[in-house]
C-alpha cells in the first residue's frame, strides 16, 4: 500500500465548544491554547466555523475570533470553516477579511459556505429582509470576489472594500453536497468537504470537483481538503468513551435539545433509541475513533479513498487536555509517516 500520508497536509477545525460547567470565556481560552499547540505540532491551518443559536458552539462571531487566534499565534494560517455568506453582506465580509489580511499578512483563509449554520428562525434574524435560500450563493460570491479584485467586475466599481481591495487571500468553497464542489471546480478555487457530518456524499463530491475543475489564477490543479471527526486517545476503549460527547452533541441536535457539550458517558444505549443509533452512526460514518494504531490505519484508508490533498481534524471532546492529546496523536502519526 502506498504511503497515503506523504505530501498530505493536516489542519484543525474548531467550533470553540462551550462545555457543560464552562463558559464562552473558558472556550476562547481553550481555543487559543489549542491553536498554539497545533501550530507547534505542524498543523497547516486553524479554521473556525460560523454557527448561531447553538449553546455548545462559541464561534458565532467568526471573524472576531479569527483575529483573536491569529493575534495569539505566529505562523499557522487562520481562517473560516466557514463564513456562511448568505447570512452577510459581501461588502462586510470583504472589509472584515481585508482587515484580517492587513493585520496578519499571508496567514488568513476565507472559507465560504451557503448554508445558514442555524435554524430557520435565527436565519431570519440574521438575514433580516433577505429572502436568500442559498441559491444566490454564486452571485454573492462573485460580488465578494469583485471587492478584492475589481478586474472581475463588468464595469467601474463605485463601492470599494477598504481595506480589502487589491488584497489576495485564498478563498475556499465549503460544502456537504455537490453544489459547491462543482462551483469550486468551475471557478478554479480550492474546495473543502464536510465529511464530518456528510460522509455519504464525500466521494461523489470529490469526484465532481475534480471533473469540473478548470485552471485559474488561483490554482493550476484541483486542491481538495476533507474534514473528518478524529477522536484519538491512548487506547481504543478510551477513545470510544471520549467519542460519546460528540455522539450526544449530534443526538441533541436531532432532538432539538439545547445543551452545552456534555461529558462522556459509559453507555450510549441508555440514552439513544435504536433508530437514533442507526441514524447517527450513519451520519458519523467517516469518524475515526481509536488508539494510535487504529487511527493511523483508518486515516490511511480515509486518505486513500478520498485522495484528499489535506485533511482537517475536528474533535468535539469534553475534557480540554484529552482534546489536546487527540490532536497531538494525529500530529505524531502524520509526522512519523513522512
Amino acid at each position: 500500500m502506498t504511503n497515503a500520508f506523504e505530501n498530505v497536509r493536516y489542519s484543525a477545525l474548531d467550533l470553540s465548544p462551550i462545555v457543560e460547567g464552562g463558559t464562552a470565556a473558558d472556550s476562547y481560552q481553550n481555543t487559543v491554547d489549542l491553536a498554539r499547540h497545533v501550530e507547534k505540532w505542524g498543523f497547516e491551518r486553524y479554521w473556525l466555523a460560523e454557527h448561531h443559536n447553538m449553546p455548545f458552539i462559541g464561534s458565532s462571531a467568526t471573524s472576531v475570533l479569527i483575529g483573536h487566534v491569529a493575534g495569539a499565534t505566529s505562523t499557522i494560517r487562520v481562517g473560516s470553516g466557514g463564513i456562511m455568506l448568505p447570512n452577510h453582506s459581501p461588502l462586510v465580509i470583504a472589509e472584515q477579511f481585508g482587515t484580517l489580511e492587513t493585520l496578519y499578512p499571508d496567514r488568513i483563509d476565507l472559507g465560504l459556505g451557503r448554508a445558514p449554520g442555524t435554524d430557520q428562525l435565527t436565519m431570519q434574524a440574521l438575514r433580516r429582509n433577505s429572502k436568500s435560500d442559498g441559491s444566490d450563493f454564486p452571485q454573492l460570491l462573485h460580488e465578494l470576489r469583485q471587492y478584492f479584485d475589481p478586474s472581475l467586475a463588468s464595469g467601474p466599481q463605485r463601492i470599494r472594500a477598504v481595506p480589502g481591495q487589491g488584497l489576495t487571500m485564498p478563498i475556499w468553497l465549503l460544502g456537504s453536497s455537490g453544489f459547491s464542489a462543482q462551483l469550486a471546480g468551475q471557478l478554479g478555487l480550492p474546495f473543502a468537504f464536510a465529511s464530518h457530518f456528510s460522509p455519504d456524499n464525500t466521494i461523489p463530491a470529490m469526484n465532481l470537483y475534480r471533473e469540473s475543475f478548470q485552471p485559474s489564477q488561483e490554482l493550476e490543479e484541483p486542491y481538495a481538503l476533507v474534514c473528518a471527526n478524529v477522536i484519538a486517545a491512548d487506547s481504543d476503549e478510551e477513545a470510544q468513551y471520549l467519542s460519546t460527547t460528540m455522539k450526544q452533541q449530534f443526538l441533541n441536535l436531532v432532538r432539538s435539545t439545547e445543551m452545552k457539550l456534555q461529558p462522556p458517558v459509559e453507555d450510549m444505549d441508555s440514552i439513544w433509541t435504536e433508530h437514533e443509533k442507526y441514524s447517527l452512526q450513519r451520519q458519523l460514518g467517516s469518524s475515526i475513533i481509536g488508539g494510535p494504531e487504529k487511527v493511523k490505519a483508518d486515516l490511511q484508508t480515509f486518505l486513500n479513498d478520498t485522495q484528499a490533498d489535506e485533511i482537517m481534524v475536528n474533535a468535539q471532546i469534553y475534557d480540554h487536555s484529552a482534546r489536546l492529546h487527540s490532536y497531538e496523536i494525529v500530529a505524531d502519526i502524520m509526522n512519523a509517516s513522512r
Side-chain angles (χ1 to χ4, degrees), residues 85-86 88-91 114 132-147 179 183 187:
L85 187 55
H88 309 278
S89 154
L91 176 60
R114 68 187 184 100
S132 173
D133 60 0
S135 60
D136 58 349
F137 180 74
Q139 290 75 35
L140 295 172
L141 173 63
H142 184 65
E143 180 184 344
L144 173 61
R145 296 179 74 202
Q146 286 179 163
Y147 289 126
F179 183 96
L183 183 61
L187 296 176

Side-chain angles (χ1 to χ4, degrees), residues 195-197 227-231 246 250 283-284 286-289 312-316:
S195 188
H196 59 302
F197 63 81
C227 184
N229 298 307
V230 181
I231 310 292
M246 172 183 68
F250 275 82
Q283 188 176 15
L284 298 172
S286 66
S287 299
I288 295 170
I289 302 167
M312 180 164 278
V313 174
N314 179 46
Q316 292 288 80

Side-chain angles (χ1 to χ4, degrees), residues 18-206:
I18 304 174
V19 303
E20 189 65 46
T23 66
D26 298 328
S27 300
Y28 299 149
Q29 289 179 355
N30 291 341
T31 281
V32 166
D33 189 50
L34 177 60
R36 286 171 171 165
H37 275 88
V38 299
E39 178 178 68
K40 179 178 65 177
W41 295 330
F43 282 68
E44 179 74 14
R45 64 191 89 242
Y46 193 95
W47 280 2
L48 295 141
E50 177 187 349
H51 293 278
H52 301 277
N53 198 29
M54 294 184 181
F56 58 90
I57 293 177
S59 54
S60 55
T62 318
S63 301
V64 177
L65 202 51
I66 288 170
H68 183 58
V69 172
T73 53
S74 56
T75 58
I76 195 169
R77 299 194 66 88
V78 188
S80 55
I83 291 291
M84 301 298 110
L85 187 55
N87 290 344
H88 309 278
S89 154
L91 176 60
V92 169
I93 298 303
E95 291 172 340
Q96 289 178 356
F97 277 78
T99 301
L100 288 168
E101 177 65 22
T102 301
L103 289 169
Y104 309 104
D106 301 319
R107 290 186 56 211
I108 301 299
D109 294 330
L110 175 51
L112 300 167
R114 68 187 184 100
T118 188
D119 57 87
Q120 291 294 315
L121 195 62
T122 307
M123 181 187 77
Q124 293 172 12
L126 284 163
R127 302 181 184 185
R128 308 305 294 177
N129 296 324
S130 171
K131 293 181 172 60
S132 173
D133 60 0
S135 60
D136 58 349
F137 180 74
Q139 290 75 35
L140 295 172
L141 173 63
H142 184 65
E143 180 184 344
L144 173 61
R145 296 179 74 202
Q146 286 179 163
Y147 289 126
F148 292 115
D149 182 2
S151 70
L152 297 174
S154 57
Q157 273 197 300
R158 299 178 62 185
I159 302 173
R160 294 177 295 167
V162 182
Q165 183 171 300
L167 296 178
T168 58
M169 75 190 72
I171 293 179
W172 294 69
L173 297 195
L174 281 55
S176 57
S177 65
F179 183 96
S180 292
Q182 186 171 35
L183 183 61
Q186 292 169 344
L187 296 176
L189 297 175
F191 175 60
F193 187 81
S195 188
H196 59 302
F197 63 81
S198 184
D200 290 348
N201 291 327
T202 304
I203 303 301
M206 296 287 276

Side-chain angles (χ1 to χ4, degrees), residues 122-310:
T122 307
M123 181 187 77
Q124 293 172 12
L126 284 163
R127 302 181 184 185
R128 308 305 294 177
N129 296 324
S130 171
K131 293 181 172 60
S132 173
D133 60 0
S135 60
D136 58 349
F137 180 74
Q139 290 75 35
L140 295 172
L141 173 63
H142 184 65
E143 180 184 344
L144 173 61
R145 296 179 74 202
Q146 286 179 163
Y147 289 126
F148 292 115
D149 182 2
S151 70
L152 297 174
S154 57
Q157 273 197 300
R158 299 178 62 185
I159 302 173
R160 294 177 295 167
V162 182
Q165 183 171 300
L167 296 178
T168 58
M169 75 190 72
I171 293 179
W172 294 69
L173 297 195
L174 281 55
S176 57
S177 65
F179 183 96
S180 292
Q182 186 171 35
L183 183 61
Q186 292 169 344
L187 296 176
L189 297 175
F191 175 60
F193 187 81
S195 188
H196 59 302
F197 63 81
S198 184
D200 290 348
N201 291 327
T202 304
I203 303 301
M206 296 287 276
N207 290 339
L208 181 59
Y209 169 61
R210 295 185 180 108
E211 290 165 2
S212 59
F213 185 83
Q214 299 178 27
S216 66
Q217 288 185 340
E218 285 78 9
L219 286 178
E220 293 183 2
E221 297 179 345
Y223 190 92
L225 176 156
V226 181
C227 184
N229 298 307
V230 181
I231 310 292
D234 290 334
S235 68
D236 292 353
E237 294 75 19
E238 183 185 0
Q240 285 294 337
Y241 172 68
L242 294 175
S243 75
T244 61
T245 291
M246 172 183 68
K247 292 168 184 173
Q248 290 178 81
Q249 173 205 313
F250 275 82
L251 182 61
N252 286 333
L253 281 172
V254 170
R255 293 177 173 177
S256 298
T257 302
E258 295 191 352
M259 299 178 75
K260 294 180 179 180
L261 205 67
Q262 295 298 298
V265 295
E266 294 291 346
D267 180 22
M268 281 299 297
D269 288 336
S270 64
I271 299 176
W272 56 17
T273 66
E274 280 299 314
H275 176 72
E276 289 171 334
K277 178 179 180 180
Y278 173 79
S279 176
L280 287 172
Q281 285 180 337
R282 179 161 187 165
Q283 188 176 15
L284 298 172
S286 66
S287 299
I288 295 170
I289 302 167
E293 290 306 313
K294 185 176 187 301
V295 169
K296 179 180 179 180
D298 289 352
L299 276 173
Q300 175 120 4
T301 299
F302 184 75
L303 290 170
N304 280 329
D305 289 345
T306 61
Q307 293 295 299
D309 301 289
E310 186 169 337

